[in-house]
Amino acid sequence: MPVPKLHFVHSKADKASGAYTSLCNRYEQHTLEEADIIVALGGDGFLLETLHETRALGKPVFGMNRGSVGFLLNDYREQNLPQRIAAAVPVALKPLHMQARRTDGTVEEAVAINEVSLLRQTRQAAKLRIAVDGVERLGELICDGALVSTPAGSTAYNLSAHGPIIPLEAGILALTPISAFRPRRWRGALLPQDVTVTISVLEAAKRPVAAVADFTEVRDVVEVVVRQDSNWAPTVLFDPHHNLDERILKEQFSS
C-alpha cells in the first residue's frame, strides 16, 4: 500500500503549532495540491474551518486533537501516522445549506457542517414562525433563538441547548429551541433530513435576529431557509477503534 502524502495545518494554539513543527520534522510536508490527506491539528472549530477552507480540493481530513473538546478529532500521537491514516475509517458528512434574507431584501447563502442557528441580537426575545416543507408547524415561538442541527453537529451547540444526540446514519435533523419562553414546554422536533425548514422572524424591526451557519453570520434577517446541501459531502477520517458513530453512541450514556 503506498504511503499517503500528507499536508499539515494547525490552529493558533501553542500546542497545535508545536505539534505542527514536530510532525513536519518527522514526516514530509507536501503541498495542498499534491497531498492525499490533510492533517488538521487543533480543536473541533479548527477542523470545521479546515473543511470549509479546503472544500474545493475535496480531500479527506484527519484531525488530531490539539484543542479542548476534540469530539470530531482523533487522539494526538506522532508515531506511525501514515499507517494510522491508511487504516482510518472515512465518514462522509452531510452539511446544511442556509439561505438568509435580510430586512433590506438582500440574500446571503452559506453552508453549515454542524448547525444553522438563529439568535436574538438585542435584550428582547426573538419571535419566530416555523414551517416544514411549506406547512406552518409553529405559529409563534418566543425564545432566544432556534437551530437546525446535523447528526455530526448534534453533540455541539444542539446538545448545549438540550437537543437530542443523533446517530450519523439516522437520516434525521434536530430542530431545537434555544431558551424557549413560549410555548414553554416545546422541546423541538426530529425531522427527516430531506425536508426544507423555513424560519420567519416576526417583528423583525423591534426584535432583530441574526442567522449563523457554522462561521458565517448574517444579521437582521427576516427569513431563513434551511435544507440539506446536495453539492458537498466532506470526508473526515477516524481511527477504527474510536470512530464518530462510536463517539456519538458513547456520548448518549455519559454523565
Side-chain angles (χ1 to χ4, degrees), residues 229-247:
D229 189 281
S230 59
N231 299 315
W232 186 36
T235 299
V236 183
L237 302 175
F238 293 95
D239 289 322
H241 65 281
H242 200 39
N243 62 46
L244 191 53
D245 281 321
E246 174 64 17
R247 293 179 195 208

Side-chain angles (χ1 to χ4, degrees), residues 149-250:
S149 171
T150 67
S154 66
T155 59
Y157 193 5
N158 173 70
L159 182 59
S160 297
H162 306 291
I165 297 173
I166 305 172
L168 276 183
E169 300 303 322
I172 55 179
L173 305 173
L175 171 59
T176 303
I178 302 170
S179 301
F181 180 67
R182 292 285 188 278
R184 193 182 299 274
R185 290 188 173 85
W186 188 66
R187 299 303 183 202
L190 292 173
L191 307 172
Q193 64 184 4
D194 59 352
V195 301
T196 297
V197 180
T198 303
I199 304 177
S200 304
V201 179
L202 309 177
E203 302 179 23
K206 180 182 179 183
R207 303 169 184 271
V209 169
V212 183
D214 282 355
F215 309 111
T216 303
E217 181 181 24
V218 184
R219 296 181 71 81
D220 299 313
V221 298
V222 293
E223 182 182 80
V224 176
V225 179
V226 183
R227 60 174 61 91
Q228 192 174 81
D229 189 281
S230 59
N231 299 315
W232 186 36
T235 299
V236 183
L237 302 175
F238 293 95
D239 289 322
H241 65 281
H242 200 39
N243 62 46
L244 191 53
D245 281 321
E246 174 64 17
R247 293 179 195 208
I248 288 174
L249 185 61
K250 287 176 63 176

Side-chain angles (χ1 to χ4, degrees), residues 19-203:
Y20 172 83
T21 300
S22 180
L23 289 168
C24 286
N25 289 335
R26 186 165 188 153
Y27 303 103
E28 183 177 357
Q29 167 77 316
H30 294 270
T31 66
L32 265 175
E33 291 69 26
E34 66 183 6
D36 301 309
I37 307 293
I38 299 167
V39 180
L41 307 166
D44 286 329
F46 181 71
L47 178 71
L48 294 181
E49 287 180 25
T50 301
L51 290 170
H52 279 282
E53 290 175 359
T54 62
R55 175 179 177 178
L57 297 173
K59 297 186 177 183
V61 176
F62 183 88
M64 287 199 288
N65 189 14
R66 293 284 81 191
S68 51
V69 178
F71 186 82
L72 295 173
L73 299 156
N74 300 288
D75 294 335
Y76 178 76
R77 295 196 305 274
E78 293 184 15
Q79 299 80 9
N80 302 316
L81 184 58
Q83 294 81 359
R84 184 180 171 195
I85 289 175
V89 176
V91 174
L93 304 181
K94 298 177 181 179
L96 298 172
H97 177 270
M98 177 186 80
Q99 183 181 69
R101 179 164 57 88
R102 297 185 180 90
T103 53
D104 63 5
T106 58
V107 175
E108 185 165 341
E109 300 184 23
V111 177
I113 295 170
N114 269 2
E115 76 280 316
V116 172
S117 56
L118 282 78
L119 304 163
R120 65 185 176 98
Q121 292 178 197
T122 67
R123 61 180 177 81
Q124 290 191 296
K127 285 188 177 182
L128 308 176
R129 180 172 59 238
I130 299 174
V132 179
D133 285 341
V135 178
E136 182 179 301
R137 297 297 181 182
L138 198 57
E140 183 179 88
L141 171 65
I142 304 175
C143 56
D144 280 354
L147 62 86
V148 180
S149 171
T150 67
S154 66
T155 59
Y157 193 5
N158 173 70
L159 182 59
S160 297
H162 306 291
I165 297 173
I166 305 172
L168 276 183
E169 300 303 322
I172 55 179
L173 305 173
L175 171 59
T176 303
I178 302 170
S179 301
F181 180 67
R182 292 285 188 278
R184 193 182 299 274
R185 290 188 173 85
W186 188 66
R187 299 303 183 202
L190 292 173
L191 307 172
Q193 64 184 4
D194 59 352
V195 301
T196 297
V197 180
T198 303
I199 304 177
S200 304
V201 179
L202 309 177
E203 302 179 23

